[in-house]
Amino acid sequence: MASLSMSAGWTPKQNKLFEQALAVHDRDTPDRWHNIARAVGGGKSADDVRRYYELLVHDIARIEAGKVPFPAYRPPCPGTGHNASYEADRLKHLKI
């Protein structure tokens, strides 16, 4: 199954609308996928948004299982004296 980030045809705006609609229309909402599709717009069908949701769930499961590598963020500009504190702060918030 393709990763959500690899899913073609979804704009950043549609993705944000999708996230907001998911927060409003929980699994107990009648016609949930139709309501979410209507909120997303852009010609997305109920099947489109349901498949997109399934990709999201799959991606989250991979992240939680540790199968997605930790991003290699660049530290702040060298020479500012903040590199050590940046690294310590980054590790402080890392949950293992």
Side-chain angles (χ1 to χ4, degrees):
M1 185 179 287
S3 167
L4 189 63
S5 63
M6 301 298 279
S7 185
W10 285 74
T11 66
K13 181 179 179 181
Q14 287 174 320
N15 188 60
K16 190 59 161 176
L17 291 169
F18 172 77
E19 291 171 0
Q20 291 170 343
L22 274 178
V24 173
H25 304 289
D26 66 12
R27 64 180 59 162
D28 297 327
T29 301
D31 297 322
R32 178 187 195 192
W33 303 118
H34 292 283
N35 291 330
I36 293 172
R38 191 171 24 256
V40 170
K44 299 295 183 198
S45 70
D47 285 338
D48 292 334
V49 295
R50 183 185 47 77
R51 280 192 298 271
Y52 199 64
Y53 175 79
E54 289 169 358
L55 287 173
L56 174 65
V57 169
H58 176 75
D59 279 357
I60 291 169
R62 286 182 37 107
I63 292 166
E64 290 176 344
K67 295 181 179 177
V68 176
F70 191 73
Y73 295 114
R74 290 188 299 189
C77 298
T80 61
H82 297 293
N83 288 341
S85 64
Y86 169 80
E87 216 33 57
D89 189 53
R90 194 173 133 221
L91 291 173
K92 179 175 69 175
H93 298 291
L94 181 65
K95 294 180 181 171
I96 300 178

